[in-house]
Amino acid sequence: NVEELMFAALASHKRHMALYLTSIYMDDDSADDFEDAYRATGKRLDLGRSCVRFRRLDDLPLDLVAAVIADTSVAEFLDRYRARRGEDG
């Protein structure tokens, strides 16, 4: 792959910040598991198509975010990316 790929990113917008976790959004089961785990923390979930919006860092369950990032290897991320693009690898 000669393209740059985004694994995870933070963005600051006018009224909120956003956390992009492309590693889970390429896999429906991972996205569902993340949403369920997020809701279980009791924190407010403001979910976009590919991001979690928040206003303060305290609004994010940082342990969950860290676990999700740590649980996806680069090889697994690339496999998901290739599967989405219909590539054999």
Side-chain angles (χ1 to χ4, degrees):
N1 180 10
V2 295
E3 298 177 26
E4 294 179 10
L5 296 175
M6 180 181 68
F7 188 82
L10 287 171
S12 181
H13 300 281
K14 185 175 183 177
R15 298 192 176 189
H16 68 274
M17 291 171 278
L19 172 66
Y20 296 89
L21 296 169
T22 56
S23 62
I24 64 169
Y25 291 110
M26 286 192 277
D27 180 67
D28 293 337
D29 291 335
S30 294
D32 292 341
D33 292 345
F34 175 77
E35 288 180 41
D36 292 343
Y38 198 112
R39 291 181 201 286
T41 67
K43 294 186 181 269
R44 180 178 173 271
L45 177 61
D46 183 1
L47 191 63
R49 175 68 182 116
S50 65
C51 69
V52 176
R53 292 180 290 266
F54 61 99
R55 290 183 187 249
R56 297 176 301 130
L57 191 56
D58 291 340
D59 296 338
L60 276 179
L62 295 178
D63 291 341
L64 174 61
V65 170
V68 165
I69 291 172
D71 287 345
T72 306
S73 69
V74 172
E76 184 178 2
F77 175 70
L78 290 174
D79 288 344
R80 289 178 185 175
Y81 171 77
R82 290 179 182 125
R84 282 285 194 172
R85 293 196 41 126
E87 298 175 7
D88 293 333

